[in-house]
Amino acid sequence: SAQLNQLAKAAGKLYFGSATDNGELTDAAYVAILEDANMFGQITPGNGQKWEYTEPSQGQFDYTSGDQIVDFAESNGQIVRCHTLAWYSQLPSWVGDGTWTVDTLTSVLNTHIANEVGHYKGQCRSWDVVNEALNEDGTYRENVFYTVIGESYIPLAFEATAAADPDAKLYYNDYNIEGTGAKQDGAVTIINLVKDAGAKIDGVGMQAHLIVGTIPTQSDLETSINSYLSAGVTEVAYTELDIRFSSLPPDDAGLQQQATDYGTVTQACLAVDACVGITIWDYTDKYSWIPGVFAGSGAALPWDENLSEKPAYSTISSVLAAA
Ligand code: G3I
């Protein structure tokens, strides 16, 4: 039977993709599924392009980890979503704990972006330029960039990325902005902020780290997407989709609910032409980030720990096939 990326493309989407990470690429059975471009037409490096790896000390750039994933994707004919530039987490301590003025931190941010985006120029279909800049109430998160530079660090990051790779699609990326509410309103504000500064923003990435049985309705998912498009971006994507259980192990009814929830997100993307694709945040429970962060939670992905397809896989597949 047809596989997810094939089905997504037949339904008019650009890709169905997965994140991956460097350590996993030595797992042959895992790689055999990941490298199949009929299954995954797009890859996101889960860690390797983050600041702590790419500029661990000031002016010392290291693209070993990111390159390994980007090269892997290119050799398989898979699109790359590049991730991420201005983010408060996984920052090297020289940035996070540095003593900065507006001018010095602006220069650090510009230099980082110019170097990294320049290094990957032409290889990234899109960049998650700014990641997780919002609190749950829609206000700006007090990260080092905001505290020192103010909200203008956001348009500044978009300008620097556009200058270094004019062809990349530039995204604001965050979680809990899939449905409607204060944080989702904050993401609309960011689109306006960037555009009002005269900078380019092409897309909103809705991470979609969701919980089984509690996801937004398809109608709310579509309302959210349409509000981004109305604010002036030309595309959106589900960029880090996983739908976890809060207690383990799931029973059959739980797995069926998870499948339904994956189907709902897939339907929402299919319903809006400007939703270019869906990326799951790795494809197997074997390598999910969830248990390490939310103890006792997990089983969030469409493939189980033994790389067997779960009911969620069948539902994504049948929803795509019916489109
Ligand atoms: O590289 C070190 C390794 O040297 C060390 O031995 C090991 C021991 O702890 O840690 C390794 O680093 C870990 C890294 O993943 C690579 O595996 C970090 O501890 C761990 O915190 C880090 O977690 C990542 C997390 O971001 C950090 O915030 C997850 O893998 C990654 O999936 C996750 O991804 C984020 C997105 O970037 C943004 N949205 C949320 C999403 C989930 O948290």
Side-chain angles (χ1 to χ4, degrees):
S1 67
Q3 295 163 293
L4 300 183
N5 185 53
Q6 266 182 321
L7 291 167
K9 287 174 76 171
K13 301 291 113 176
L14 197 58
Y15 58 78
F16 190 97
S18 177
T20 190
D21 210 348
N22 299 81
E24 304 154 25
L25 297 181
T26 55
D27 178 340
Y30 168 85
V31 168
I33 296 173
L34 186 73
E35 71 186 359
D36 180 355
N38 288 326
M39 188 66 85
F40 301 116
Q42 177 274 324
I43 296 290
T44 306
N47 281 296
Q49 293 179 319
K50 294 172 180 175
W51 200 320
E52 69 172 341
Y53 300 107
T54 56
E55 195 184 3
S57 53
Q58 187 165 12
Q60 304 289 306
F61 294 93
D62 181 353
Y63 297 110
T64 316
S65 296
D67 285 355
Q68 189 190 0
I69 310 255
V70 171
D71 292 348
F72 173 90
E74 284 181 352
S75 68
N76 301 322
Q78 295 161 314
I79 293 168
V80 182
R81 294 194 83 260
C82 290
H83 175 81
T84 181
L85 298 167
W87 188 28
Y88 73 91
S89 180
Q90 290 177 287
L91 272 180
S93 57
W94 72 266
V95 180
D97 303 334
T99 305
W100 305 113
T101 64
V102 175
D103 285 352
T104 57
L105 190 58
T106 298
S107 163
V108 159
L109 185 57
N110 277 329
T111 301
H112 180 75
I113 291 176
N115 200 292
E116 176 155 5
V117 177
H119 177 82
Y120 287 111
K121 184 170 192 256
Q123 298 184 286
C124 303
R125 194 222 162 236
S126 58
W127 263 111
D128 290 333
V129 176
V130 175
N131 196 43
E132 300 172 8
L134 292 166
N135 294 315
E136 293 306 299
D137 68 359
T139 59
Y140 291 117
R141 204 189 266 268
E142 294 279 336
N143 63 39
V144 65
F145 305 111
Y146 182 77
T147 306
V148 175
I149 301 171
E151 66 183 22
S152 66
Y153 88 89
I154 296 173
L156 190 152
F158 278 87
E159 270 164 35
T161 309
D165 188 350
D167 295 330
K169 301 289 185 189
L170 309 189
Y171 274 64
Y172 177 67
N173 192 55
D174 210 334
Y175 59 90
N176 291 349
I177 60 164
E178 301 79 26
T180 53
K183 192 172 186 183
Q184 198 270 336
D185 292 342
V188 171
T189 301
I190 285 180
I191 299 172
N192 291 322
L193 174 74
V194 175
K195 292 181 80 79
D196 289 349
K200 179 177 91 122
I201 176 169
D202 300 291
V204 173
M206 300 166 289
Q207 294 183 6
H209 293 295
L210 304 173
I211 300 174
V212 172
T214 73
I215 77 163
T217 62
Q218 188 186 330
S219 162
D220 279 356
L221 293 171
E222 290 180 34
T223 300
S224 171
I225 291 174
N226 285 319
S227 75
Y228 298 136
L229 299 173
S230 300
V233 293
T234 54
E235 61 181 65
V236 301
Y238 290 105
T239 54
E240 306 185 10
L241 177 62
D242 51 27
I243 311 183
R244 65 185 181 265
F245 292 92
S246 302
S247 65
L248 298 172
D251 60 14
D252 287 348
L255 289 169
Q256 206 47 59
Q257 181 64 51
Q258 182 182 50
T260 300
D261 292 346
Y262 267 100
T264 300
V265 176
T266 306
Q267 293 278 18
C269 189
L270 287 169
V272 184
D273 284 348
C275 181
V276 296
I278 298 173
T279 308
I280 49 179
W281 204 241
D282 224 316
Y283 74 84
T284 160
D285 294 335
K286 186 173 185 180
Y287 295 121
S288 174
W289 67 287
I290 302 265
V293 173
F294 299 109
S297 294
L301 293 164
W303 278 257
D304 72 14
E305 300 207 352
N306 301 314
L307 311 183
S308 296
E309 295 163 1
K310 291 155 69 173
Y313 176 89
S314 312
T315 301
I316 297 167
S317 169
S318 58
V319 167
L320 290 173

